[in-house]
Amino acid sequence: DQQVKQNSPSLSVQEGRISILNCDYTNSMFDYFLWYKKYPAEGPTFLISISSIKDKNEDGRFTVFLNKSAKHLSLHIVPSQPGDSAVYFCAAKASGSARQLTFGSGTQLTVLP
Amino acid sequence: DADVTQTPRNRITKTGKRIMLECSQTKGHDRMYWYRQDPGLGLRLIYYSFDVKDINKGEISDGYSVSRQAQAKFSLSLESAIPNQTALYFCATSGGEGLDEQFFGPGTRLTVL
């Protein structure tokens, strides 16, 4: 049973518009969440994170929102650029765990010029 | 130069063969991880190590073994490869208390015929 779910395998967005990638989780012990971006033939790279004590974290064009009551987080990219086209993975860590991350299945974002 | 390197990058082998995938890092991190990625399943943790004398099973360790030869090196072995071990394998590192960000290598694409 997947504890971190990304229900949209793919998303297409026009350049300049907002991209919203969603992630749901089931484990209430998760207290830290990360987004990774992966280009073909490369390993995932860290993008942005959020602690459960916050509901928003912003870094340039990237903002992550956390709704603990709904066990839902989202990544907003504004404005979207063609170079943002990649697979985005949501990951979560449980409180007290040995720093293990649980990953979602990923969402392929395509930003159309 | 890449901080986390993996060799080989691609490998095709036959059922029953022993395979070793190697990972080296120059980040000076104590913690190292092996993941596999399958379509629709995201990244799943195989094994992890918090220092040279520490080895821990992850979510899907059956059929795999690991060796932490030094702080900088972490190898994954498939003692007798089978076709359902065909996947993309990633090594990752992390360092320090409170630092949950993991840094990934470029991946090894393994095909078992």
Side-chain angles (χ1 to χ4, degrees):
Chain A
D1 187 31
Q2 284 190 299
Q3 297 186 64
V4 178
K5 299 179 182 179
Q6 295 177 256
N7 292 318
S8 297
S10 62
L11 173 68
S12 291
V13 172
Q14 207 68 37
E15 181 179 4
R17 307 295 289 267
I18 185 172
S19 295
I20 300 177
L21 295 94
N22 294 304
C23 179
D24 297 296
Y25 61 95
T26 58
N27 188 341
S28 58
M29 297 300 291
F30 286 148
D31 65 350
Y32 193 75
F33 304 88
L34 306 89
W35 284 93
Y36 280 82
K37 179 168 72 173
K38 183 185 178 304
Y39 292 118
E42 295 182 12
T45 55
F46 171 74
L47 186 59
I48 193 169
S49 63
I50 188 167
S51 165
S52 60
I53 62 173
K54 295 184 176 182
D55 54 18
K56 176 183 174 181
N57 189 28
E58 192 171 353
D59 183 2
R61 296 186 297 114
F62 302 91
T63 302
V64 56
F65 295 92
L66 176 62
N67 183 333
K68 290 186 290 294
S69 61
K71 293 190 176 66
H72 176 84
L73 65 156
S74 60
L75 174 68
H76 292 211
I77 306 174
V78 183
S80 300
Q81 300 173 353
D84 295 329
S85 297
V87 177
Y88 289 79
F89 290 101
C90 169
K93 183 188 77 67
S95 173
S97 76
R99 297 292 190 269
Q100 291 184 52
L101 298 180
T102 301
F103 284 84
S105 55
T107 297
Q108 170 70 58
L109 173 66
T110 302
V111 179
L112 305 169
Chain B
D1 289 341
D3 295 319
V4 184
T5 57
Q6 293 183 233
T7 55
R9 293 295 311 277
N10 289 281
R11 182 73 184 267
I12 299 174
T13 191
K14 295 182 178 180
T15 297
K17 294 291 187 180
R18 184 178 187 273
I19 296 296
M20 179 180 285
L21 309 183
E22 300 192 17
C23 176
S24 295
Q25 53 113 347
T26 59
K27 299 190 73 68
H29 287 167
D30 289 326
R31 303 178 182 207
M32 298 187 74
Y33 311 80
W34 275 105
Y35 292 90
R36 65 177 278 177
Q37 182 191 359
D38 298 278
L41 293 177
L43 286 85
R44 293 182 292 166
L45 184 63
I46 306 172
Y47 270 97
Y48 61 101
S49 167
F50 284 175
D51 64 37
V52 175
K53 298 178 181 179
D54 177 75
I55 299 291
N56 303 281
K57 292 183 177 180
E59 180 186 353
I60 52 165
S61 60
D62 288 349
Y64 302 94
S65 63
V66 290
S67 173
R68 185 80 184 267
Q69 301 97 319
Q71 186 204 38
K73 297 184 181 297
F74 193 35
S75 301
L76 176 72
S77 293
L78 288 68
E79 296 301 325
S80 179
I82 57 177
N84 75 1
Q85 291 177 313
T86 294
L88 192 53
Y89 290 84
F90 290 102
C91 174
T93 74
S94 68
E97 285 296 323
L99 293 178
D100 296 294
E101 179 187 344
Q102 293 182 13
F103 297 84
F104 285 81
T108 294
R109 184 167 295 281
L110 177 66
T111 303
V112 183
L113 301 176

